[in-house]
């Protein structure tokens, strides 16, 4: 589990206060994939992810061909659009190099 000080180093979380950082660290899960393993597939529901290490490739099915359309590296995040728009993943994401993610929003309900 990441600590508050580690989360503060990630630009997207730098503005959060300690209470929110503690809550976020308790919600997150560590995921580690080998090159070629998929994190999400196009059309699946997706949470919010932050790339902690490694590189991912973003793949889109275009006219029946799987095409790399983007890449994520350490510190990048994705999944926010699918959450905000209440839609499925617009593309697939798989590890290009050994990669570690934080699944940062598993359960968005707060008691």
């Amino acid at each position: 589990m990441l600590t508050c000080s580690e989360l503060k180093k990630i630009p997207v979380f730098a503005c959060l206060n300690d209470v929110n950082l503690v809550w976020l660290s308790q919600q997150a899960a560590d995921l580690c994939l080998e090159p070629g393993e998929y994190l999400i597939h196009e059309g699946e529901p997706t949470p919010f992810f932050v790339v902690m290490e490694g590189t991912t490739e973003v793949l889109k099915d275009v006219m029946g061909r799987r095409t790399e359309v983007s890449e994520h590296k350490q510190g990048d995040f994705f999944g926010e659009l699918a959450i905000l728009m209440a839609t499925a993943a617009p593309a697939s994401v798989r590890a290009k190099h050994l990669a570690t993610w934080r699944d940062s929003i598993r359960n968005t309900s707060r008691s």
Side-chain angles (χ1 to χ4, degrees), residues 31 37 40 58 63 69 74 81 94:
L31 303 168
E37 286 186 278
I40 55 173
V58 180
M63 298 177 60
V69 294
Q74 184 175 356
L81 292 178
R94 71 178 175 195

Side-chain angles (χ1 to χ4, degrees), residues 12-13 31 39-51 56-58 70-72 75-93 101-106 108:
V12 71
F13 301 134
L31 303 168
L39 179 63
I40 55 173
H41 291 276
E42 185 173 346
E44 292 180 345
T46 183
F48 181 78
F49 292 99
V50 176
V51 180
T56 70
E57 54 190 347
V58 180
S70 185
E71 183 176 280
H72 298 296
D76 290 346
F77 59 89
F78 57 96
E80 75 284 2
L81 292 178
I83 292 170
L84 292 171
M85 298 175 68
T87 62
S92 298
V93 177
W101 291 272
R102 293 292 289 182
D103 172 350
S104 297
I105 303 177
R106 271 199 178 285
T108 56

